[in-house]
Amino acid sequence: MKRALITGITGQDGSYLAELLLEKGYEVYGIWRRKAYVDYGNIEHLKDKVTLIYADMTDPVSLMSAMKISLADEVYNLAAQSFVATSWDTPLGTADIDAIGVTNMLEAIRIVNPSARFYQASTSEMFGKVQEIPQKETTPFYPRSPYGVAKLYGHWITKNYRESYDMFACSGILFNHESERRGLEFVTRKITNAAAKISVGQQECVELGNLSAKRDWGHSKDYVRAMYLMLQADHPDDYVVATNETRTVREFAERAFAHVGMDIAWEGEGVNEVGIDKKSGKTVVKVNPKFFRPAEVELLIGDPTKAETELGWKREITFDELVKRMVENDLRIVKNS
C-alpha cells in the first residue's frame, strides 16, 4: 500500500485529491494547523479515513516529523495562502508560506526520505502580464501580485532541488480551477452563491471587480488527477494543466445567473457597469472599484498539450457543467439554510 502526505488537505484541491488517492488504495496522511476549534473543512466526510498530523509550512521541524510519521512515498504540497487579493495585505506572510514553505517541505523530504516523490502546486498567476498566448511550460513568467511572485519562488526551488539533488520533484502549473468546494472569497463562488441567494430573494445584488478579466477555468476534480499522474510518470517534469479556453468574469456571471433563470443585460462600462435582469428589471450585478487589483492579470489561457500527450490527462468537466454544479450546490445550501 502506497502512502501519501498532502499539505492543505482540508482545502478544495486537497479534499478531491484525498478522495482520489483513497479510491486508489493509498494510505492518506494530511497536514493541518492547530486552531482554537476543530475545523475539518472539505474533508469532514473523510476524517475517519485519513490520518491528520499537526504541522506548519513555516516550521521545518514539524514537517520533518510529518515525514517520519507518514513514511510517505508521495508528497503533494497544496498548502498556500491562495487568495490573490489577500497577498497585497499580507505579502510577507504569503511569502513565508507560498515560497519559503516549499523549501521547508523539500528540505524535510531531502533529509528524511529523499526517494519520496514531490508535487508542487504552481499557478498560472506566475504568468501574470502574459508574454505569450496561449501560455505553456516554456512561456516566460511575469507575476503581477505578491502571491504570483511567491509561487514563482516555489516553482523554481522545486526545479532547483530536482536538478541539484536528483529528487523526483514536479510542478503542476495549474490554471484557474473551481468547484462546489471553492471558498466564498473567490470570485467564482461569490458569483454562484449570489445567483442562488438572489434567485430566492435572500440577496439583492452582488458587487464584483474587473468583469473583463479573462481566465481559463476548469474543475478541481479533473486537475487533481493531473497531479496524481505527474507522480506516476517515469521521470519528473513540469506541466501546464488547463482547458485552452478563456472566459471573462462577465461570462461566468451570465452563465451562473442563467442557471437560476435570469438573463442579464449589461449597461455602462468600467466602474459604472451594471448587470440588469431582463425579466425583473432589477440590477443584480454592480462593479465596485475596491475589488480591482493594484496590478491586474488581464488574460490567462493555458496550452495543456504536454500534459495530454505525456501523461494521458484530459479534462472531463466542461465550463458549463462546472458553473452548473457550483450553482446547484449553492442553491441546495441556500434552500436548506
Side-chain angles (χ1 to χ4, degrees):
M1 180 183 291
K2 281 189 177 181
R3 293 167 173 248
L5 176 64
I6 304 172
T7 73
I9 193 171
T10 61
Q12 169 187 257
D13 291 2
S15 63
Y16 281 118
L17 179 61
E19 288 176 349
L20 175 66
L21 295 177
L22 287 169
E23 289 171 5
K24 293 185 177 296
Y26 278 64
E27 190 170 337
V28 177
Y29 293 78
I31 284 177
W32 66 339
R33 289 177 295 170
R34 189 175 294 278
K35 296 182 180 179
Y37 61 94
V38 176
D39 179 13
Y40 291 103
N42 288 305
I43 60 163
E44 178 72 35
H45 63 300
L46 300 177
K47 63 184 180 183
D48 297 324
K49 299 179 181 179
V50 302
T51 301
L52 297 173
I53 303 168
Y54 284 115
D56 193 288
M57 297 303 292
T58 64
D59 183 347
V61 174
S62 71
L63 297 178
M64 284 189 279
S65 177
M67 284 298 299
K68 292 175 182 177
I69 292 169
S70 65
L71 300 174
D73 302 295
E74 297 173 5
V75 178
Y76 296 85
N77 183 36
L78 311 184
Q81 189 300 98
S82 58
F83 191 41
V84 177
T86 300
S87 72
W88 274 283
D89 299 323
T90 60
L92 298 181
T94 300
D96 283 343
I97 299 168
D98 297 5
I100 303 304
V102 184
T103 312
N104 290 338
M105 190 72 252
L106 284 164
E107 274 292 280
I109 295 170
R110 186 181 69 85
I111 292 169
V112 177
N113 180 18
S115 65
R117 297 190 169 200
F118 176 74
Y119 170 83
Q120 165 60 15
S122 290
T123 169
S124 59
E125 289 287 333
M126 300 187 307
F127 293 119
K129 189 175 181 180
V130 299
Q131 305 297 296
E132 180 181 29
I133 300 172
Q135 295 88 56
K136 47 184 180 287
E137 292 80 6
T138 55
T139 301
F141 298 114
Y142 197 136
R144 298 268 282 172
S145 67
Y147 169 75
V149 172
K151 277 292 193 175
L152 186 54
Y153 175 98
H155 178 80
W156 278 110
I157 200 66
T158 299
K159 187 187 292 283
N160 185 260
Y161 269 64
R162 179 170 74 220
E163 296 176 352
S164 300
Y165 301 114
D166 196 29
M167 292 172 63
F168 196 107
C170 303
S171 283
I173 308 173
L174 272 57
F175 280 63
N176 295 67
H177 49 289
E178 316 297 326
S179 76
E180 305 89 308
R181 299 176 187 176
R182 179 54 100 184
L184 288 167
E185 69 272 25
F186 290 85
V187 67
T188 50
R189 182 74 193 288
K190 181 179 181 180
I191 291 170
T192 60
N193 180 63
K197 286 186 173 179
I198 291 170
S199 71
V200 298
Q202 291 187 14
Q203 186 172 321
E204 289 189 1
C205 71
V206 59
E207 293 186 345
L208 303 174
N210 183 6
L211 295 175
S212 298
K214 296 179 179 179
R215 294 293 183 270
D216 182 327
W217 277 300
H219 196 289
S220 173
K221 199 167 186 177
D222 281 337
Y223 286 36
V224 300
R225 267 193 300 108
M227 301 176 190
Y228 167 76
L229 289 170
M230 287 180 211
L231 296 199
Q232 313 315 308
D234 292 333
H235 63 275
D237 208 343
D238 306 326
Y239 298 88
V240 162
V241 181
T243 70
N244 201 28
E245 299 173 0
T246 191
R247 320 271 180 168
T248 63
V249 174
R250 187 184 294 102
E251 286 179 87
F252 194 103
E254 288 172 349
R255 299 291 177 89
F257 278 93
H259 280 298
V260 294
M262 293 185 180
D263 187 11
I264 296 179
W266 300 97
E267 294 185 3
E269 59 180 75
V271 296
N272 297 314
E273 190 167 8
V274 296
I276 300 171
D277 175 33
K278 291 181 180 178
K279 295 178 182 177
S280 66
K282 293 182 178 179
T283 297
V284 293
V285 178
K286 291 181 181 178
V287 171
N288 189 329
K290 78 175 184 179
F291 295 119
F292 280 69
R293 297 179 180 182
E296 184 59 81
V297 174
E298 297 291 349
L299 168 63
L300 292 175
I301 177 170
D303 180 357
T305 300
K306 183 178 175 181
E308 291 175 346
T309 56
E310 295 187 12
L311 302 177
W313 177 81
K314 276 283 188 182
R315 70 102 173 232
E316 296 175 355
I317 301 171
T318 65
F319 175 74
D320 281 338
E321 179 64 19
L322 163 68
V323 179
K324 179 183 177 182
R325 289 187 185 194
M326 292 180 69
V327 172
E328 289 182 348
N329 183 68
D330 279 324
L331 278 170
R332 283 193 294 270
I333 293 173
V334 168
K335 289 175 180 178
N336 291 330
S337 62

